[in-house]
Amino acid sequence: MAKDTVRYPDDVVEEIDALVEDGMFESKSEFYRFSAEYVLTLINDDHDVKTFNFDEIQAELDISDRDHAEALGTDGGTFFLDAVINVRKHGLRGNYEAAERFIDTHYDETDQECIILEELLGTYRDGS
């Protein structure tokens, strides 16, 4: 097995540490192996998974075929359209806090896309 050294932003590592601490993954290594294999299965249907217990981990995480499709994006990979759909769905249902969390975790508050999404969310708030 090859060994690779990869640097990740501190906040990403903190989130991974929390997943390991919560028991969702046995170790950071298991998380990294699963994550890499998972992405490879998304972009290559013929990828031969080598990670031990991959199917069990995927089942525990409840990752469905629909989740795979959503990860690729409904518009061929343009995340912003998916974000609009997500914010619209939450806005229509009155789940404003969920929409805010989504925006806050995916965008910097000064991003143009963030501002547009917040304006979209505002239209649902104003309409209620």
Side-chain angles (χ1 to χ4, degrees):
M1 188 177 286
K3 182 178 180 180
D4 243 347
T5 301
V6 181
R7 294 187 182 275
Y8 293 94
D10 291 339
D11 57 334
V12 171
V13 174
E14 288 171 11
E15 288 186 42
I16 294 166
D17 287 341
L19 292 172
V20 171
E21 190 174 300
D22 290 345
M24 188 167 289
F25 290 91
E26 193 171 294
S27 65
K28 287 169 66 168
S29 293
E30 183 182 65
F31 173 87
Y32 293 125
R33 283 191 295 271
F34 175 82
S35 299
E37 294 267 33
Y38 179 72
V39 170
L40 290 172
T41 63
L42 288 176
I43 60 177
N44 180 2
D45 291 335
D46 297 326
H47 175 70
D48 183 26
V49 175
K50 304 277 191 236
T51 298
F52 179 71
N53 288 338
F54 181 87
D55 292 331
E56 289 88 358
I57 295 168
Q58 185 174 1
E60 286 177 28
L61 295 174
D62 197 24
I63 299 172
S64 67
D65 289 339
R66 181 176 179 184
D67 293 329
H68 278 274
E70 288 178 3
L72 291 175
T74 56
D75 61 346
T78 302
F79 182 76
F80 181 67
L81 180 56
D82 288 333
V84 168
I85 292 167
N86 194 324
V87 169
R88 180 179 183 272
K89 177 182 70 174
H90 288 304
L92 286 170
R93 295 177 180 160
N95 297 331
Y96 307 127
E97 289 180 14
E100 288 172 346
R101 270 193 310 277
F102 174 82
I103 295 168
D104 291 345
T105 58
H106 291 88
Y107 292 94
D108 182 83
E109 63 186 21
T110 60
D111 288 347
Q112 288 179 344
E113 292 177 342
C114 175
I115 295 167
I116 293 167
L117 291 172
E118 288 177 342
E119 288 294 322
L120 174 64
L121 180 58
T123 62
Y124 293 105
R125 279 196 174 118
D126 294 342
S128 64

